[in-house]
mmCIF file of all heavy atoms in Angstrom:
data_model
loop_
_atom_site.group_PDB
_atom_site.id
_atom_site.type_symbol
_atom_site.label_atom_id
_atom_site.label_comp_id
_atom_site.label_asym_id
_atom_site.label_seq_id
_atom_site.Cartn_x
_atom_site.Cartn_y
_atom_site.Cartn_z
ATOM 1 N N LEU A 261 224.491 -93.505 -103.400
ATOM 2 C CA LEU A 261 223.723 -92.709 -104.361
ATOM 3 C C LEU A 261 222.259 -92.635 -103.929
ATOM 4 O O LEU A 261 221.589 -93.669 -103.811
ATOM 5 C CB LEU A 261 223.815 -93.346 -105.750
ATOM 6 C CG LEU A 261 225.232 -93.600 -106.286
ATOM 7 C CD1 LEU A 261 225.166 -94.300 -107.635
ATOM 8 C CD2 LEU A 261 226.026 -92.310 -106.397
ATOM 9 N N GLU A 262 221.794 -91.426 -103.680
ATOM 10 C CA GLU A 262 220.367 -91.209 -103.409
ATOM 11 C C GLU A 262 219.805 -90.453 -104.589
ATOM 12 O O GLU A 262 220.113 -89.271 -104.787
ATOM 13 C CB GLU A 262 220.182 -90.415 -102.120
ATOM 14 C CG GLU A 262 220.450 -91.276 -100.918
ATOM 15 C CD GLU A 262 220.232 -90.559 -99.608
ATOM 16 O OE1 GLU A 262 219.892 -89.377 -99.613
ATOM 17 O OE2 GLU A 262 220.424 -91.216 -98.578
ATOM 18 N N GLY A 422 212.456 -96.777 -107.305
ATOM 19 C CA GLY A 422 211.999 -97.539 -106.136
ATOM 20 C C GLY A 422 212.472 -96.878 -104.852
ATOM 21 O O GLY A 422 213.213 -97.471 -104.066
ATOM 22 N N LEU A 423 212.046 -95.617 -104.649
ATOM 23 C CA LEU A 423 212.511 -94.913 -103.445
ATOM 24 C C LEU A 423 211.506 -95.124 -102.309
ATOM 25 O O LEU A 423 211.631 -96.048 -101.524
ATOM 26 C CB LEU A 423 212.720 -93.431 -103.770
ATOM 27 C CG LEU A 423 213.388 -92.582 -102.689
ATOM 28 C CD1 LEU A 423 214.756 -93.119 -102.317
ATOM 29 C CD2 LEU A 423 213.538 -91.131 -103.149
ATOM 30 N N ALA A 424 210.470 -94.279 -102.267
ATOM 31 C CA ALA A 424 209.476 -94.411 -101.195
ATOM 32 C C ALA A 424 208.200 -95.010 -101.762
ATOM 33 O O ALA A 424 208.002 -95.069 -102.976
ATOM 34 C CB ALA A 424 209.182 -93.032 -100.614
ATOM 35 N N ALA A 444 210.606 -100.967 -103.261
ATOM 36 C CA ALA A 444 210.951 -99.627 -102.773
ATOM 37 C C ALA A 444 211.846 -99.780 -101.552
ATOM 38 O O ALA A 444 211.783 -100.797 -100.848
ATOM 39 C CB ALA A 444 209.688 -98.867 -102.378
ATOM 40 N N GLY A 445 212.653 -98.771 -101.310
ATOM 41 C CA GLY A 445 213.519 -98.809 -100.127
ATOM 42 C C GLY A 445 212.739 -98.530 -98.847
ATOM 43 O O GLY A 445 213.159 -98.926 -97.755
ATOM 44 N N MET A 446 211.628 -97.828 -98.988
ATOM 45 C CA MET A 446 210.862 -97.434 -97.795
ATOM 46 C C MET A 446 209.365 -97.530 -98.076
ATOM 47 O O MET A 446 208.916 -97.139 -99.154
ATOM 48 C CB MET A 446 211.187 -95.980 -97.425
ATOM 49 C CG MET A 446 212.636 -95.791 -97.038
ATOM 50 S SD MET A 446 213.140 -94.061 -97.057
ATOM 51 C CE MET A 446 213.302 -93.701 -98.774
ATOM 52 N N PHE A 461 217.279 -95.199 -94.832
ATOM 53 C CA PHE A 461 216.659 -94.321 -95.835
ATOM 54 C C PHE A 461 217.425 -94.501 -97.130
ATOM 55 O O PHE A 461 218.640 -94.320 -97.177
ATOM 56 C CB PHE A 461 216.749 -92.866 -95.369
ATOM 57 C CG PHE A 461 216.143 -91.874 -96.335
ATOM 58 C CD1 PHE A 461 214.902 -91.316 -96.087
ATOM 59 C CD2 PHE A 461 216.814 -91.510 -97.493
ATOM 60 C CE1 PHE A 461 214.332 -90.413 -96.983
ATOM 61 C CE2 PHE A 461 216.255 -90.609 -98.395
ATOM 62 C CZ PHE A 461 215.012 -90.067 -98.134
ATOM 63 N N GLY A 462 216.720 -94.850 -98.199
ATOM 64 C CA GLY A 462 217.390 -94.987 -99.490
ATOM 65 C C GLY A 462 216.496 -95.725 -100.457
ATOM 66 O O GLY A 462 215.365 -96.076 -100.127
ATOM 67 N N GLY A 463 217.006 -95.945 -101.671
ATOM 68 C CA GLY A 463 216.153 -96.510 -102.704
ATOM 69 C C GLY A 463 216.715 -97.764 -103.334
ATOM 70 O O GLY A 463 217.879 -98.118 -103.135
ATOM 71 N N VAL A 464 215.851 -98.430 -104.118
ATOM 72 C CA VAL A 464 216.275 -99.577 -104.924
ATOM 73 C C VAL A 464 216.101 -99.181 -106.399
ATOM 74 O O VAL A 464 215.641 -98.094 -106.709
ATOM 75 C CB VAL A 464 215.454 -100.852 -104.591
ATOM 76 C CG1 VAL A 464 215.645 -101.227 -103.133
ATOM 77 C CG2 VAL A 464 213.962 -100.669 -104.893
ATOM 78 N N LYS A 465 216.461 -100.053 -107.283
ATOM 79 C CA LYS A 465 216.376 -99.831 -108.732
ATOM 80 C C LYS A 465 217.044 -98.489 -109.090
ATOM 81 O O LYS A 465 218.092 -98.160 -108.537
ATOM 82 C CB LYS A 465 214.915 -99.924 -109.200
ATOM 83 C CG LYS A 465 214.266 -101.261 -108.800
ATOM 84 C CD LYS A 465 213.021 -101.640 -109.567
ATOM 85 C CE LYS A 465 211.886 -100.713 -109.555
ATOM 86 N NZ LYS A 465 210.604 -101.252 -109.992
ATOM 87 N N SER A 467 216.571 -95.652 -108.128
ATOM 88 C CA SER A 467 216.555 -94.641 -107.058
ATOM 89 C C SER A 467 217.830 -94.655 -106.231
ATOM 90 O O SER A 467 217.965 -93.866 -105.295
ATOM 91 C CB SER A 467 215.339 -94.836 -106.155
ATOM 92 O OG SER A 467 214.174 -94.483 -106.862
ATOM 93 N N GLY A 468 218.752 -95.559 -106.559
ATOM 94 C CA GLY A 468 220.053 -95.441 -105.909
ATOM 95 C C GLY A 468 220.537 -96.685 -105.221
ATOM 96 O O GLY A 468 219.964 -97.773 -105.360
ATOM 97 N N MET A 469 221.605 -96.512 -104.449
ATOM 98 C CA MET A 469 222.192 -97.618 -103.703
ATOM 99 C C MET A 469 222.757 -97.080 -102.398
ATOM 100 O O MET A 469 223.220 -95.947 -102.333
ATOM 101 C CB MET A 469 223.283 -98.303 -104.511
ATOM 102 C CG MET A 469 224.406 -97.382 -104.900
ATOM 103 S SD MET A 469 225.678 -98.211 -105.866
ATOM 104 C CE MET A 469 224.819 -98.498 -107.390
ATOM 105 N N GLY A 470 222.676 -97.934 -101.372
ATOM 106 C CA GLY A 470 223.173 -97.532 -100.062
ATOM 107 C C GLY A 470 222.044 -96.956 -99.230
ATOM 108 O O GLY A 470 220.966 -96.631 -99.756
ATOM 109 N N ARG A 471 222.288 -96.880 -97.945
ATOM 110 C CA ARG A 471 221.276 -96.388 -97.022
ATOM 111 C C ARG A 471 221.879 -95.354 -96.080
ATOM 112 O O ARG A 471 223.023 -95.494 -95.651
ATOM 113 C CB ARG A 471 220.710 -97.544 -96.168
ATOM 114 C CG ARG A 471 219.912 -98.569 -96.956
ATOM 115 C CD ARG A 471 218.605 -97.971 -97.443
ATOM 116 N NE ARG A 471 217.806 -98.925 -98.200
ATOM 117 C CZ ARG A 471 217.892 -99.118 -99.526
ATOM 118 N NH1 ARG A 471 218.760 -98.430 -100.239
ATOM 119 N NH2 ARG A 471 217.122 -99.996 -100.125
#
Side-chain angles (χ1 to χ4, degrees):
L261 306 177
E262 286 182 359
L423 188 58
M446 297 164 285
F461 180 103
V464 299
K465 305 199 303 196
S467 290
M469 59 180 70
R471 293 291 180 271

